[in-house]
Short mmCIF file of all heavy atoms in Angstrom, two decimals:
data_model
loop_
_atom_site.label_atom_id
_atom_site.label_comp_id
_atom_site.label_asym_id
_atom_site.label_seq_id
_atom_site.Cartn_x
_atom_site.Cartn_y
_atom_site.Cartn_z
N LEU A 1 12.08 1.13 -0.10
CA LEU A 1 13.47 1.45 0.21
C LEU A 1 14.36 0.77 -0.81
O LEU A 1 14.04 -0.32 -1.30
CB LEU A 1 13.85 0.96 1.60
CG LEU A 1 13.13 1.62 2.77
CD1 LEU A 1 13.45 0.89 4.07
CD2 LEU A 1 13.50 3.08 2.87
N ARG A 2 15.48 1.41 -1.13
CA ARG A 2 16.46 0.82 -2.05
C ARG A 2 17.82 0.92 -1.39
O ARG A 2 18.21 1.97 -0.91
CB ARG A 2 16.46 1.56 -3.38
CG ARG A 2 17.49 1.03 -4.38
CD ARG A 2 17.51 1.84 -5.65
NE ARG A 2 16.24 1.84 -6.34
CZ ARG A 2 15.84 0.89 -7.20
NH1 ARG A 2 16.60 -0.14 -7.44
NH2 ARG A 2 14.66 0.99 -7.79
N ASN A 3 18.53 -0.19 -1.37
CA ASN A 3 19.90 -0.23 -0.87
C ASN A 3 20.72 -0.94 -1.94
O ASN A 3 20.67 -2.16 -2.06
CB ASN A 3 19.96 -0.97 0.46
CG ASN A 3 21.30 -0.81 1.14
OD1 ASN A 3 22.25 -0.29 0.56
ND2 ASN A 3 21.38 -1.25 2.38
N ASN A 4 21.44 -0.15 -2.73
CA ASN A 4 22.15 -0.65 -3.92
C ASN A 4 21.14 -1.29 -4.85
O ASN A 4 20.21 -0.62 -5.28
CB ASN A 4 23.29 -1.58 -3.52
CG ASN A 4 24.34 -0.86 -2.67
OD1 ASN A 4 24.68 0.28 -2.95
ND2 ASN A 4 24.83 -1.52 -1.63
N ASP A 5 21.27 -2.58 -5.13
CA ASP A 5 20.34 -3.24 -6.05
C ASP A 5 19.16 -3.88 -5.32
O ASP A 5 18.27 -4.44 -5.96
CB ASP A 5 21.07 -4.31 -6.86
CG ASP A 5 22.06 -3.71 -7.85
OD1 ASP A 5 21.83 -2.54 -8.26
OD2 ASP A 5 23.05 -4.37 -8.17
N LYS A 6 19.15 -3.84 -4.01
CA LYS A 6 18.09 -4.46 -3.22
C LYS A 6 16.95 -3.48 -3.00
O LYS A 6 17.18 -2.34 -2.58
CB LYS A 6 18.65 -4.92 -1.87
CG LYS A 6 17.66 -5.61 -0.99
CD LYS A 6 17.26 -6.96 -1.52
CE LYS A 6 16.33 -7.64 -0.54
NZ LYS A 6 15.79 -8.87 -1.07
N VAL A 7 15.72 -3.90 -3.31
CA VAL A 7 14.54 -3.06 -3.12
C VAL A 7 13.61 -3.75 -2.14
O VAL A 7 13.32 -4.95 -2.28
CB VAL A 7 13.81 -2.82 -4.47
CG1 VAL A 7 12.53 -2.02 -4.24
CG2 VAL A 7 14.73 -2.10 -5.44
N VAL A 8 13.13 -3.00 -1.15
CA VAL A 8 12.19 -3.52 -0.16
C VAL A 8 10.92 -2.69 -0.26
O VAL A 8 10.93 -1.49 0.02
CB VAL A 8 12.76 -3.45 1.27
CG1 VAL A 8 11.74 -3.96 2.28
CG2 VAL A 8 14.06 -4.20 1.38
N ASP A 9 9.82 -3.32 -0.69
CA ASP A 9 8.53 -2.64 -0.74
C ASP A 9 7.97 -2.55 0.67
O ASP A 9 7.89 -3.55 1.38
CB ASP A 9 7.55 -3.39 -1.64
CG ASP A 9 7.86 -3.18 -3.11
OD1 ASP A 9 8.16 -2.04 -3.49
OD2 ASP A 9 7.80 -4.16 -3.88
N LEU A 10 7.57 -1.33 1.06
CA LEU A 10 7.01 -1.11 2.39
C LEU A 10 5.50 -1.02 2.36
O LEU A 10 4.83 -1.46 3.30
CB LEU A 10 7.58 0.18 3.00
CG LEU A 10 9.09 0.22 3.20
CD1 LEU A 10 9.52 1.60 3.70
CD2 LEU A 10 9.52 -0.87 4.17
N ALA A 11 4.95 -0.42 1.30
CA ALA A 11 3.49 -0.25 1.26
C ALA A 11 3.03 0.15 -0.13
O ALA A 11 3.79 0.71 -0.92
CB ALA A 11 3.06 0.83 2.26
N LYS A 12 1.77 -0.16 -0.38
CA LYS A 12 1.04 0.36 -1.53
C LYS A 12 -0.14 1.11 -0.92
O LYS A 12 -0.94 0.51 -0.19
CB LYS A 12 0.57 -0.78 -2.44
CG LYS A 12 -0.18 -0.31 -3.66
CD LYS A 12 -0.59 -1.50 -4.53
CE LYS A 12 -1.43 -1.05 -5.70
NZ LYS A 12 -1.85 -2.20 -6.53
N LEU A 13 -0.23 2.40 -1.18
CA LEU A 13 -1.24 3.23 -0.54
C LEU A 13 -2.21 3.79 -1.57
O LEU A 13 -1.84 4.03 -2.71
CB LEU A 13 -0.57 4.40 0.19
CG LEU A 13 0.51 4.04 1.22
CD1 LEU A 13 1.15 5.30 1.77
CD2 LEU A 13 -0.08 3.19 2.33
N GLY A 14 -3.45 4.01 -1.12
CA GLY A 14 -4.48 4.54 -1.99
C GLY A 14 -5.29 5.64 -1.33
O GLY A 14 -4.86 6.23 -0.32
N LYS A 15 -6.45 5.89 -1.87
CA LYS A 15 -7.32 6.99 -1.48
C LYS A 15 -7.43 7.14 0.04
O LYS A 15 -7.62 6.17 0.77
CB LYS A 15 -8.71 6.79 -2.08
CG LYS A 15 -9.67 7.95 -1.83
CD LYS A 15 -10.95 7.77 -2.59
CE LYS A 15 -12.03 8.77 -2.28
NZ LYS A 15 -11.66 10.13 -2.06
N ASP A 16 -7.31 8.39 0.49
CA ASP A 16 -7.43 8.81 1.88
C ASP A 16 -6.28 8.36 2.78
O ASP A 16 -6.33 8.59 3.99
CB ASP A 16 -8.77 8.36 2.49
CG ASP A 16 -9.96 9.05 1.83
OD1 ASP A 16 -9.79 10.18 1.32
OD2 ASP A 16 -11.05 8.45 1.81
N GLU A 17 -5.23 7.77 2.22
CA GLU A 17 -4.07 7.41 3.03
C GLU A 17 -3.04 8.54 2.93
O GLU A 17 -3.01 9.30 1.98
CB GLU A 17 -3.49 6.08 2.58
CG GLU A 17 -4.45 4.93 2.87
CD GLU A 17 -3.86 3.57 2.62
OE1 GLU A 17 -3.82 3.15 1.44
OE2 GLU A 17 -3.42 2.94 3.61
N ILE A 18 -2.19 8.62 3.96
CA ILE A 18 -1.21 9.70 4.08
C ILE A 18 0.19 9.12 4.09
O ILE A 18 0.42 8.06 4.67
CB ILE A 18 -1.47 10.51 5.37
CG1 ILE A 18 -2.84 11.19 5.31
CG2 ILE A 18 -0.37 11.54 5.61
CD1 ILE A 18 -3.26 11.90 6.58
N PHE A 19 1.12 9.84 3.46
CA PHE A 19 2.53 9.44 3.50
C PHE A 19 3.41 10.68 3.59
O PHE A 19 2.98 11.78 3.28
CB PHE A 19 2.91 8.57 2.29
CG PHE A 19 2.76 9.27 0.97
CD1 PHE A 19 3.82 9.97 0.41
CD2 PHE A 19 1.56 9.23 0.27
CE1 PHE A 19 3.68 10.62 -0.81
CE2 PHE A 19 1.42 9.86 -0.96
CZ PHE A 19 2.48 10.57 -1.49
N GLY A 20 4.66 10.45 4.06
CA GLY A 20 5.61 11.54 4.18
C GLY A 20 5.55 12.27 5.50
O GLY A 20 6.37 13.14 5.79
N GLU A 21 4.61 11.91 6.33
CA GLU A 21 4.39 12.65 7.58
C GLU A 21 5.40 12.30 8.66
O GLU A 21 5.72 13.14 9.50
CB GLU A 21 2.97 12.42 8.10
CG GLU A 21 2.72 11.09 8.78
CD GLU A 21 2.78 9.87 7.88
OE1 GLU A 21 2.72 10.00 6.66
OE2 GLU A 21 2.90 8.75 8.43
N THR A 22 5.91 11.09 8.67
CA THR A 22 6.77 10.68 9.78
C THR A 22 8.05 11.51 9.86
O THR A 22 8.44 11.93 10.95
CB THR A 22 7.13 9.18 9.70
OG1 THR A 22 7.73 8.91 8.44
CG2 THR A 22 5.90 8.32 9.88
N SER A 23 8.68 11.78 8.75
CA SER A 23 9.91 12.58 8.76
C SER A 23 9.63 14.02 9.14
O SER A 23 10.50 14.70 9.71
CB SER A 23 10.58 12.52 7.39
OG SER A 23 10.94 11.19 7.11
N MET A 24 8.44 14.52 8.84
CA MET A 24 8.10 15.89 9.20
C MET A 24 8.02 16.05 10.71
O MET A 24 8.34 17.10 11.25
CB MET A 24 6.79 16.31 8.54
CG MET A 24 6.92 16.47 7.03
SD MET A 24 5.37 16.93 6.25
CE MET A 24 5.15 18.59 6.86
N PHE A 25 7.59 15.00 11.41
CA PHE A 25 7.50 15.07 12.87
C PHE A 25 8.88 15.14 13.51
O PHE A 25 9.04 15.69 14.59
CB PHE A 25 6.74 13.87 13.43
CG PHE A 25 5.26 14.01 13.37
CD1 PHE A 25 4.53 13.50 12.32
CD2 PHE A 25 4.57 14.66 14.38
CE1 PHE A 25 3.16 13.63 12.26
CE2 PHE A 25 3.19 14.80 14.33
CZ PHE A 25 2.49 14.28 13.27
N THR A 26 9.86 14.54 12.86
CA THR A 26 11.20 14.50 13.42
C THR A 26 12.10 15.56 12.81
O THR A 26 13.28 15.60 13.09
CB THR A 26 11.83 13.11 13.21
OG1 THR A 26 11.85 12.80 11.82
CG2 THR A 26 11.05 12.04 13.96
N ASP A 27 11.54 16.41 11.92
CA ASP A 27 12.30 17.48 11.26
C ASP A 27 13.56 16.91 10.63
O ASP A 27 14.66 17.37 10.88
CB ASP A 27 12.63 18.60 12.25
CG ASP A 27 13.12 19.86 11.52
OD1 ASP A 27 12.68 20.09 10.37
OD2 ASP A 27 13.94 20.58 12.10
N SER A 28 13.38 15.89 9.82
CA SER A 28 14.52 15.22 9.22
C SER A 28 14.31 15.02 7.72
O SER A 28 13.65 15.82 7.07
CB SER A 28 14.76 13.89 9.92
OG SER A 28 13.65 13.03 9.74
#
């Protein structure tokens, strides 16, 4: 996440991991 100049790392993901799915469930 980035808020102005502040960056917050949430995760580093690799093989067989999934991302982007949470927003799809909420149609947002």
Side-chain angles (χ1 to χ4, degrees):
L1 295 172
R2 178 183 300 276
N3 191 351
N4 298 319
D5 292 333
K6 181 69 176 173
V7 176
V8 178
D9 284 318
L10 299 175
K12 181 179 176 181
L13 305 175
K15 185 173 173 39
D16 295 332
E17 293 188 279
I18 297 174
F19 62 91
E21 77 292 344
T22 56
S23 298
M24 290 179 69
F25 277 95
T26 58
D27 193 31
S28 63

